[in-house]
Amino acid sequence: MSDSERLSGERRIRSYSRRQGRITTAQREALQTLWKDYCLDPDRPFDAAAVFSRSDIPLILEIGFGNGNTLLEMAAADPEKDYLGIEVHRPGVGHLMRLLAHHGVTNVRIYCADAVDVLKRCLPDENLDGVNLFFPDPWPKKRHHKRRLVTPEFIDLIAKKLKVGGRFHTATDWEDYAQSMASVLEANRHLRNTAPSGSFAKRPGQRPLTKFERRGLRLGHRVRDLVYQRI
């Protein structure tokens, strides 16, 4: 199967597994009342000037933001950048919209859709200043490794969407996934490790601790950050 077939065919990679979880009344209300304020159409090209009423501003994408706490914290701390978040699970989308409205954060918009679809359909090439993928599902059982998101095909797609100098930042507390991601990233000719070749980066100060990270640390896992720059 070719790369294009894997990205566009029925068996192509996806950025999520099909599980929604319980949705609260507050999250459901947010989805009903705040959707038009924060959520973007995954079938229309992204236009920064139309969405944020400003252009030529650094644009950062977070893939799989979960409950949105990390995305909110980063966007609130850096209002001179605009942020896009992608999350397929509606409870998390509803939770983030409530947070954005409560805190008055205006530099975030959301796609409730599969990340691969959004990257291909909505975002122009060489348009992003950064892509964050924090603690993706590690699929720890060996027979499930094929479901992991960080593959050569997915990283090729990410690299196309980054501006020259833009950065892809991922982190995991699963050692074998960290090694797998490092191998994939090192093999991509469009990306360069910001740490010495073959090594991991220190956690940048602007990356907040996540819920999954705290859980991993409690379990004694070592957290690995990988930061690669588009060349």
Side-chain angles (χ1 to χ4, degrees), residues 3 6-7 13 145-146 148-160 180-181 183-191:
D3 291 354
R6 289 191 66 189
L7 290 176
I13 56 173
H145 284 186
K146 62 185 178 182
R148 288 175 168 176
L149 181 58
V150 178
T151 63
E153 296 79 18
F154 180 71
I155 295 304
D156 279 342
L157 182 58
I158 293 292
K160 286 176 58 179
S180 172
M181 290 194 290
S183 295
V184 170
L185 290 162
E186 285 291 325
N188 190 287
R189 63 187 180 89
H190 299 295
L191 299 173

Side-chain angles (χ1 to χ4, degrees), residues 39 42 55 62 79 86 91 93 99 106 110 116 132 134 222 226:
C39 286
S55 56
E62 181 173 348
I86 302 177
V93 172
L99 292 176
T106 61
I110 300 166
V116 174
N132 296 327
F134 299 141
R222 182 178 179 182
L226 300 98

